Amino acid sequence: VYPNPAPKNTIFISTKENIDLITVYNLEGKLIKKISNPQFIEEVFTLHHLKTGTYILQLENGKKKTTKKFIVN
């Protein structure tokens, strides 16, 4: 997940593993965005239109769940 903090309301997710689900939460635990079977272009997925703040990102595939915190400014 880069850049962090993210300018211009955009973050990039780079991975070599298949991702089945991307979920984004605010720090209060409210679901902001949920994307099933995201389409990656050259192993990069872009999230747009996030307001300024701190978020929790969860990436899931059938085997594991990864959680990252990121900031949009």
Side-chain angles (χ1 to χ4, degrees), residues 31 38-39 42 71:
L31 178 66
Q39 300 298 310
E42 296 181 7
I71 299 168

Side-chain angles (χ1 to χ4, degrees), residues 17 24-25 27 29 32-34 38 54-55 60 64-65 68-69:
E17 296 184 28
V24 178
Y25 299 92
L27 288 182
I32 302 298
K33 185 170 271 205
K34 186 174 189 175
T54 303
Y55 296 89
E60 297 181 44
K64 68 179 181 178
K65 183 186 294 186
K68 302 279 186 183
K69 186 189 308 185

Side-chain angles (χ1 to χ4, degrees), residues 19-35:
I19 301 296
D20 299 324
L21 181 65
I22 297 173
T23 48
V24 178
Y25 299 92
N26 65 16
L27 288 182
E28 297 171 347
K30 179 181 177 186
L31 178 66
I32 302 298
K33 185 170 271 205
K34 186 174 189 175
I35 303 163

Side-chain angles (χ1 to χ4, degrees), residues 8 15 21 29 32 39 41 44 57 64 66 68 72-73:
K8 300 180 183 177
T15 181
L21 181 65
I32 302 298
Q39 300 298 310
I41 299 172
V44 174
L57 175 74
K64 68 179 181 178
T66 302
K68 302 279 186 183
V72 174
N73 40 324

Side-chain angles (χ1 to χ4, degrees), residues 4-18:
N4 194 5
K8 300 180 183 177
N9 303 332
T10 302
I11 66 161
F12 300 94
I13 300 166
S14 179
T15 181
K16 293 184 180 189
E17 296 184 28
N18 289 332

